[in-house]
Amino acid sequence: MKDVQFGELPFLKYDCHVETCVYSRDGTSFAVALSDYTINVYATSNWERTWILSGHCDRVNNIASSPNGGRIVSGSRDTSVRVWDVAAGDCLYIFIGHTREVYNVAYSPQDNVVASRDDDGTVRLWDLESGDCRSIISDCDHISDMAFSPKGDAIALGSWDCRVRIWDIASEEFCSILIGHTSRVTIIAYPAQGGLLISKDSVNVARAWDVETGACRHIMQGDQYAVLSPKGNQIAFYNMISFLFKNEVVLWDIETGVCVRRLSGYKQEICSVAYSAQGDQIVSSGGNNEVYVRVWDVETGECRQTMTGHTEKVREVLFSPKGDYIASASSDKTVRLWNVGSGSSRNISNHHSRGVIGLKYSPKRNQVASCSQDSTIRLWDAETGACGLMLTGHSGDVHQISYSPQGGHLVSCSDDRTVRLWDVESGTCLHTLTGHTDITGDVVFSSQGNQIASVSWDKTVRLWNVSTGECQHVLTGHSDIVRVVTYSPQGNQVASAGDDGTVRLWSVETGDFQHSLTGHSEGINKIVYSPNGNQIASASDDKTVRQWDVRTGVCSHIFIGHQEGATRVVYSPRGDQIASASNDKSVRLWDTESGECCHILVGHQQLCIDAIAYSPRGNLIASWSDFGEARLWDVATGDCVWNLKHDGSTKSVGLLNSHPFVWMSPDVDSFITGDGGGSVSRWDVIKEGGQYRVHMRWRSTNGQLTVEDACVQDVRGLSDLNKRLLKQRGATGEPSVRLREASTKVVTMASVVSKLKSSSSNEEALNTPLTPPGISFTGHSEQQTEQATDADNI
């Protein structure tokens, strides 16, 4: 049983496809329409199925809840509309009259009229007292959407003739026609308080109309789909065609007609978007390879939580009426349910929503910066693990970050081809540096902090002025992608390397080319200057590491021994040793004077070692694999003193510069790691009696629980919902290792939660068993502890 998330409820599994679902207005029931023509109704108190409503003889396209929550209406491909009593499970009305399949149904706010729209664009209004059809609206060119006014006295209709019409229900005639769209009107929505009407057409132009005067207040350029916030003050646009448009949710203020925020992070299509009832959160879902559900803070644009579990496209997401639960319906034939809390408990997690690519430490601020595939940068207090700021603005993976020597600025580069300069104190983006025409893969501050160097897949190096944001020099000469860039310790020279197999040295002041260091027969993955700046080392796919004399450009040593491409290279703090990592799963330590191999560090089981780093005192070296392994080595003996299995990350295509590991202050042996689950962790290394112990100081997490060889019968304190969820997740049958303590006492849920709390405290050491045999936690933040003790959800 793996990755059970805190707040997750048992999911609803079917043998056929889920068409649509809806909460009752009071939140007490939940209805799911299936492709077997039935509607399944559940009580949300225990998520037990109360009724299977059958009667339709073809697919149910749409269902809607009555204002009081006691009834639902359904529209079907069989051309009928049915009204159901949720409490009794009875069909109260069958409305016959449509000649084509019914696509949309809606209840009026007064609970006395039902509207239905069919495939030929005809709308019918049905009286719920008599069961009669009171109006047939078909005298306009194909009605494509409809919406009742907040008072229920009118219904607005959008049609293919580019017009918006308002139908007065009492007089049974049009009372207003709004003209302005130049293409088919596809979406209609009323804000809750009335006064305005929102319409969107097929070329993604949205208009906000004054209902009283018929005047158009604002025109907004949106996307394929639009969702109105409950308060009517904001509209969210998104699209489902990933290869044509940007994959983001764009928020517009309706009062001002201004775009206020962009929620970025998806690389493929966005399938569904919904606001919470309070309007302070948005939930979105993805398709194809991004089958997860995300919760966003509307005010800040921050992704608060990412829920996983679906295996196919998530077609629909919705909040419960109180905003404390989310339901997601997927093509994998499941509906998944999540408790996302309310009020302050909504801040479930401060972790990245995707894998951590890079980390940097600022000794001036005792702060750690992390960059991620989720397009964000987060700043962490290195002592406490508190996430102080999230820097948003990039629209693609953030590949690399670098602190200024003074610690006040941070620079980042991204898939979006830009370089951004940030103020660390406020989180403000000071400059967006544009000019590269392809992915920017590496960026670094000069040793004086007055210049930035960036490299790109466009084969160029650019030098930027920090104060003005202007590009001072464009350095050309590489014949292929430029992967890495670094300044000399003195700051007078910059070195670049990449897929053309050369290292090129440039003058910082003039941008003049100085040397081309040639000899590698394949691409170069990493370069680094020696501490004194006299040498430079390069690691290449040709399986070798080379050391060069910077002044003459002569290769002084070729370090041969790796059986596969060399991925990383780094100098020891004193410069007397070089460490290199390779796809052959080894790390090799080399003497820089003699060129001899001092130690071969083997033990990694996975293919690629993505990060190596000497500790500040040079006594330890760490190696890190994005595929789930970390090891700590004694430099003097070559012995492995610690290892860890972690959440591996999903690498971006062509990403060779990830480095989710950084040592901290030279005063203590502490380091920071990032993993594929989006977590950032601090570890402290203590040497006692010739032995090393490694403690986890803190960790930001995604609130997931992993249990191995678990049997539900062995755990006490579980609610029925807990048991159902754990059984769905595989915790059934006779275990090979029982969940029992050494004292043979049965493990209670309370003890599990207690240990879960302890795992995030500063005093617990990771090498001391925190859990009984068979249990391991992927981590848990203090903010999640409150939800972990909830009796109704894991």
Side-chain angles (χ1 to χ4, degrees):
M1 187 183 73
K2 186 179 180 183
D3 296 342
V4 181
Q5 294 180 297
F6 290 87
E8 181 178 354
L9 297 174
F11 55 86
L12 311 178
K13 176 69 176 176
Y14 305 100
D15 294 327
C16 55
H17 287 287
V18 177
E19 299 294 341
T20 187
C21 52
V22 66
Y23 276 98
S24 63
R25 298 287 181 90
D26 58 6
T28 59
S29 66
F30 183 77
V32 182
L34 301 174
S35 61
D36 64 0
Y37 317 152
T38 67
I39 301 170
N40 286 231
V41 181
Y42 298 83
T44 57
S45 58
N46 57 10
W47 288 99
E48 295 288 349
R49 184 164 52 196
T50 57
W51 299 106
I52 298 177
L53 309 179
S54 58
H56 285 295
C57 57
D58 208 331
R59 183 181 64 205
V60 178
N61 289 323
N62 193 223
I63 51 178
S65 173
S66 64
N68 63 13
R71 298 177 178 181
I72 59 174
V73 60
S74 57
S76 168
R77 192 174 183 176
D78 65 11
T79 72
S80 72
V81 177
R82 290 176 178 252
V83 178
W84 310 84
D85 186 306
V86 173
D90 296 331
C91 181
L92 302 178
Y93 294 106
I94 304 175
F95 298 138
I96 305 296
H98 286 289
T99 58
R100 303 285 292 272
E101 67 176 295
V102 179
Y103 275 135
N104 293 105
V105 290
Y107 257 99
S108 76
Q110 296 177 351
D111 206 4
N112 61 342
V113 175
V114 161
S116 56
R117 181 184 68 86
D118 65 19
D119 188 32
D120 67 4
T122 297
V123 170
R124 288 176 176 257
L125 303 182
W126 309 89
D127 191 295
L128 290 176
E129 290 296 325
S130 64
D132 296 332
C133 179
R134 59 187 297 170
S135 300
I136 301 174
I137 310 171
S138 59
D139 52 346
C140 48
D141 183 17
H142 196 99
I143 298 170
S144 51
D145 199 15
M146 61 186 187
F148 279 105
S149 65
K151 294 181 180 179
D153 57 346
I155 186 168
L157 310 167
S159 66
W160 285 10
D161 63 3
C162 311
R163 286 169 167 77
V164 177
R165 293 174 170 85
I166 300 178
W167 178 271
D168 183 84
I169 293 175
S171 66
E172 299 187 19
E173 59 184 22
F174 289 116
C175 59
S176 182
I177 300 177
L178 310 178
I179 300 174
H181 286 289
T182 59
S183 64
R184 297 175 178 179
V185 178
T186 57
I187 294 175
I188 293 287
Y190 274 101
Q193 70 272 26
L196 285 178
L197 176 66
I198 308 299
S199 60
K200 190 195 79 69
D201 60 29
S202 58
V203 294
N204 301 331
V205 173
R207 289 175 175 261
W209 307 89
D210 187 303
V211 174
E212 193 68 31
T213 65
C216 179
R217 287 191 184 177
H218 298 296
I219 300 175
M220 296 162 281
Q221 181 62 52
D223 277 325
Q224 185 181 11
Y225 294 96
V227 178
L228 191 64
S229 67
K231 296 179 181 179
N233 61 327
Q234 194 177 78
I235 188 168
F237 293 104
Y238 67 102
N239 70 77
M240 293 180 62
I241 307 177
S242 60
F243 61 88
L244 291 179
F245 303 99
K246 278 190 174 182
N247 307 110
E248 58 188 6
V249 181
V250 183
L251 308 183
W252 288 73
D253 186 290
I254 290 177
E255 288 299 319
T256 62
V258 174
C259 177
V260 294
R261 199 154 287 107
R262 295 177 183 271
L263 312 180
S264 303
Y266 285 100
K267 290 184 173 297
Q268 299 184 21
E269 74 266 32
I270 298 171
C271 298
S272 180
V273 169
Y275 279 92
S276 65
Q278 298 81 2
D280 61 336
Q281 295 190 108
I282 280 178
V283 61
S284 62
S285 66
N288 294 330
N289 297 322
E290 295 183 300
V291 289
Y292 39 74
V293 177
R294 285 178 168 175
V295 183
W296 307 85
D297 185 292
V298 169
E299 184 65 29
T300 64
E302 177 182 357
C303 180
R304 286 180 166 177
Q305 189 178 5
T306 299
M307 285 91 80
T308 60
H310 286 297
T311 58
E312 294 184 35
K313 179 185 293 187
V314 185
R315 299 171 57 197
E316 185 176 12
V317 288
L318 62 157
F319 273 99
S320 64
K322 293 182 180 179
D324 51 353
Y325 287 89
I326 287 172
S328 56
S330 167
S331 297
D332 63 11
K333 302 179 182 179
T334 69
V335 175
R336 290 185 177 264
L337 308 165
W338 319 86
N339 184 338
V340 292
S342 58
S344 60
S345 64
R346 285 180 175 166
N347 297 316
I348 293 174
S349 176
N350 56 9
H351 74 298
H352 286 288
S353 60
R354 297 188 69 196
V356 177
I357 295 176
L359 294 164
K360 286 294 188 292
Y361 174 69
S362 171
K364 297 288 181 66
R365 309 182 69 89
N366 197 25
Q367 185 182 74
V368 175
S370 59
C371 61
S372 166
Q373 291 173 310
D374 67 5
S375 308
T376 70
I377 301 157
R378 292 175 187 259
L379 306 182
W380 312 85
D381 185 298
E383 192 64 30
T384 66
C387 182
L389 289 172
M390 181 178 72
L391 312 182
T392 60
H394 283 297
S395 58
D397 293 3
V398 183
H399 284 197
Q400 192 57 270
I401 48 178
S402 175
Y403 274 103
S404 64
Q406 298 78 16
H409 292 148
L410 188 79
V411 66
S412 58
C413 64
S414 167
D415 269 353
D416 64 12
R417 306 178 182 182
T418 69
V419 175
R420 285 178 176 258
L421 179 65
W422 309 87
D423 179 85
V424 172
E425 189 67 35
S426 65
T428 304
C429 180
L430 303 176
H431 297 296
T432 300
L433 312 180
T434 59
H436 284 298
T437 58
D438 210 328
I439 291 171
T440 51
D442 198 13
V443 67
V444 65
F445 266 102
S446 67
S447 55
Q448 288 80 25
N450 61 340
Q451 193 181 70
I452 292 166
S454 61
V455 295
S456 168
W457 288 22
D458 66 8
K459 307 176 187 178
T460 69
V461 182
R462 286 178 178 257
L463 305 184
W464 310 85
N465 183 289
V466 170
S467 298
T468 66
E470 294 179 355
C471 181
Q472 295 175 306
H473 301 290
V474 180
L475 313 181
T476 59
H478 283 287
S479 60
D480 208 332
I481 292 173
V482 189
R483 299 280 183 186
V484 288
V485 65
T486 185
Y487 281 94
S488 66
Q490 295 79 12
N492 62 334
Q493 188 179 70
V494 66
S496 59
D499 289 1
D500 64 4
T502 68
V503 181
R504 297 179 75 87
L505 307 182
W506 317 83
S507 167
V508 167
E509 185 176 354
T510 64
D512 291 339
F513 168 71
Q514 295 177 332
H515 288 295
S516 178
L517 312 182
T518 59
H520 284 297
S521 59
E522 294 189 40
I524 296 171
N525 296 317
K526 191 67 178 176
I527 54 175
V528 61
Y529 277 95
S530 62
N532 61 15
N534 294 332
Q535 289 87 31
I536 194 167
S538 56
S540 169
D541 284 334
D542 66 7
K543 307 178 186 179
T544 70
V545 175
R546 289 176 178 252
Q547 182 174 254
W548 314 82
D549 185 289
V550 170
R551 185 178 57 83
T552 64
V554 174
C555 178
S556 57
H557 287 297
I558 304 175
F559 303 109
I560 299 174
H562 284 300
Q563 302 304 304
E564 298 290 343
T567 57
R568 296 290 181 266
V569 64
V570 63
Y571 275 94
S572 65
R574 291 187 299 178
D576 59 338
Q577 196 176 75
I578 282 176
S580 61
S582 166
N583 285 334
D584 65 10
K585 308 177 188 177
S586 74
V587 176
R588 289 177 177 253
L589 307 184
W590 311 87
D591 186 285
T592 56
E593 288 297 323
S594 66
E596 294 181 355
C597 182
C598 309
H599 293 293
I600 304 174
L601 313 181
V602 294
H604 278 282
Q605 302 300 312
Q606 302 300 326
L607 175 65
C608 184
I609 299 173
D610 299 275
I612 53 172
Y614 282 94
S615 64
R617 289 183 283 189
N619 58 320
L620 297 170
I621 189 167
S623 55
W624 182 270
S625 168
D626 260 2
F627 291 90
E629 282 186 286
R631 288 179 177 265
L632 200 61
W633 312 84
D634 187 307
V635 171
T637 65
D639 295 333
C640 179
V641 299
W642 175 79
N643 66 84
L644 170 73
K645 299 292 184 181
H646 65 83
D647 296 330
S649 67
T650 303
K651 283 172 166 274
S652 298
V653 176
L655 176 60
L656 299 177
N657 209 27
S658 65
H659 202 287
F661 185 100
V662 64
W663 287 95
M664 289 174 51
S665 167
D667 301 329
V668 292
D669 285 327
S670 296
F671 57 90
I672 308 291
T673 62
D675 64 31
S679 294
V680 176
S681 307
R682 171 178 169 172
W683 310 80
D684 294 336
V685 183
I686 299 173
K687 189 174 184 180
E688 294 177 346
Q691 298 294 318
Y692 287 97
R693 293 192 299 109
V694 180
H695 295 255
M696 178 188 281
R697 173 71 68 89
W698 53 260
R699 187 185 191 199
S700 71
T701 74
N702 56 5
Q704 294 183 342
L705 169 68
T706 296
V707 180
E708 298 175 355
D709 299 319
C711 182
V712 173
Q713 293 93 310
D714 282 344
V715 184
R716 293 177 180 174
L718 292 175
S719 68
D720 288 340
L721 283 175
N722 291 157
K723 292 177 182 178
R724 284 165 55 194
L725 173 62
L726 295 182
K727 286 180 179 179
Q728 285 178 338
R729 291 304 214 121
T732 60
E734 289 298 317
S736 58
V737 180
R738 291 284 183 175
L739 300 182
R740 300 186 184 278
E741 305 235 35
S743 61
T744 72
K745 293 181 179 179
V746 178
V747 177
T748 65
M749 192 60 185
S751 70
V752 173
V753 173
S754 174
K755 294 180 183 300
L756 185 60
K757 292 179 181 179
S758 299
S759 71
S760 64
S761 68
N762 292 348
E763 290 82 17
E764 283 292 349
L766 256 215
N767 60 336
T768 302
L770 298 178
T771 58
I775 290 187
S776 65
F777 293 96
T778 65
H780 195 278
S781 67
E782 292 179 2
Q783 294 170 322
Q784 295 158 336
T785 303
E786 190 174 286
Q787 287 204 348
T789 59
D790 190 89
D792 291 333
N793 53 87
I794 287 294

